[in-house]
Each structure stands twice: as structure tokens, then as C-alpha cells.
Amino acid sequence: MDLKKIMTISGYPGLFRHVSQGRNGIIVESLSEKKRMTAYTSMKVSTLEDIAVFTNDGEIILKDVFRRIHDKEGGCPSISNKSKPEEIKKYFEEVFPEYDRDNVYVSDMKKIISWYNLLQELKMLEFNEEDSAQLSEEKE
């Protein structure tokens, strides 16, 4: 799964796919609405590959969190990001027990679940054997 071209833009809901380089920024396309827009250099843009989640011992990349959700759900969608905060916390603890409870907020969990469900719905979550081997090594 390549998360280099999938990004989030601060202030805009959902995820975007990098389409092209523009004069004043990059051209992106909303994954859910399929509408294109320019993400200007003044906007805060983050690729999903660059996002990590705090753990008690450091951090873990988002791809590995998605892999854990994928394994728990057997490739199906996870719980709704609109679930009650207590349910979301409980779910996140089941999937990712070592997350840092002081620095990872319910709003962060909701985003991660929302992103996972969107990517899963669009069939953009593909994990290869190398991903599984790397995750197994990190758990040990």
C-alpha cells in the first residue's frame, strides 16, 4: 500500500490524492467527491505516509495502524467514526494497546478510523507480505 500520494489538508475534510504539480501549489483530487482543487503552499498538507501515532515507547507509522485495523476486521470496515467516544477508545485500545493515552486524543482516533474506512471502501488498502513481516518484527 502506497500512502505517498494520499494526503490530508488542514481545514478540509476527507482525504486527497496528488494529481499534479501546479504553479502555486499542487493539484489534488478529493477521494470521496472526486473534485479537484489546488493545495497552495500556504496550506498545511501531510501525506499519510508521514503521519505517525504516539506510543508509550515512541511512535508507529499510520500504515501499521491501518494494518492492525485491517487484520482485526478481516479486511472489512471498522466501527463508525461517529460512535460514542467511549466506544472509540475501547476499539482503539483493542487494536493498538500501546498508544499513548495522554497524547492521542479521541479526535485523532476518529480521523484514523474515518481514513481507514474511506480507503477500505475505495479498495485502496492493500498489504503485502513485506508489510506483515515488518509489523510482526515490531510487535516482538
Side-chain angles (χ1 to χ4, degrees):
M1 173 177 62
D2 184 21
L3 297 178
K4 290 178 190 170
K5 294 192 176 212
I6 307 298
M7 50 197 62
T8 180
I9 302 173
S10 183
Y12 292 86
L15 294 174
F16 299 85
R17 180 178 59 87
H18 178 270
V19 175
S20 178
Q21 183 68 40
R23 188 177 331 163
N24 298 326
I26 58 174
I27 311 297
V28 295
E29 180 179 70
S30 168
L31 292 181
S32 56
E33 298 173 3
K34 304 294 184 208
K35 291 183 181 178
R36 290 186 179 190
M37 66 179 246
T38 301
Y40 296 101
T41 54
S42 61
M43 295 175 160
K44 185 177 180 197
V45 178
S46 302
T47 65
L48 293 189
E49 185 172 82
D50 295 334
I51 296 174
V53 180
F54 292 113
T55 68
N56 296 324
D57 300 327
E59 47 188 44
I60 186 171
I61 61 173
L62 187 60
K63 181 179 186 177
D64 291 342
V65 176
F66 285 164
R67 176 62 188 208
R68 290 182 182 192
I69 295 171
H70 183 269
D71 289 348
K72 178 182 179 358
E73 300 300 338
C76 296
S78 70
I79 65 169
S80 171
N81 62 315
K82 297 190 186 320
S83 298
K84 294 179 182 177
E86 303 82 37
E87 292 175 15
I88 290 175
K89 281 183 181 179
K90 183 179 178 202
Y91 180 81
F92 219 71
E93 287 173 6
E94 290 173 11
V95 172
F96 189 40
E98 71 273 20
Y99 83 93
D100 185 342
R101 282 147 181 80
D102 294 330
N103 292 314
V104 180
Y105 304 106
V106 173
S107 59
D108 300 324
M109 295 176 203
K110 285 182 175 186
K111 283 182 194 174
I112 291 169
I113 290 169
S114 169
W115 295 342
Y116 170 84
N117 285 334
L118 177 61
L119 293 172
Q120 192 279 332
E121 178 184 323
L122 296 173
K123 300 189 184 340
M124 296 178 75
L125 287 175
E126 295 177 10
F127 299 97
N128 56 36
E129 295 302 317
E130 184 179 303
D131 295 335
S132 297
Q134 183 180 3
L135 186 61
S136 296
E137 289 173 12
E138 290 175 6
K139 282 185 177 179
E140 294 174 359

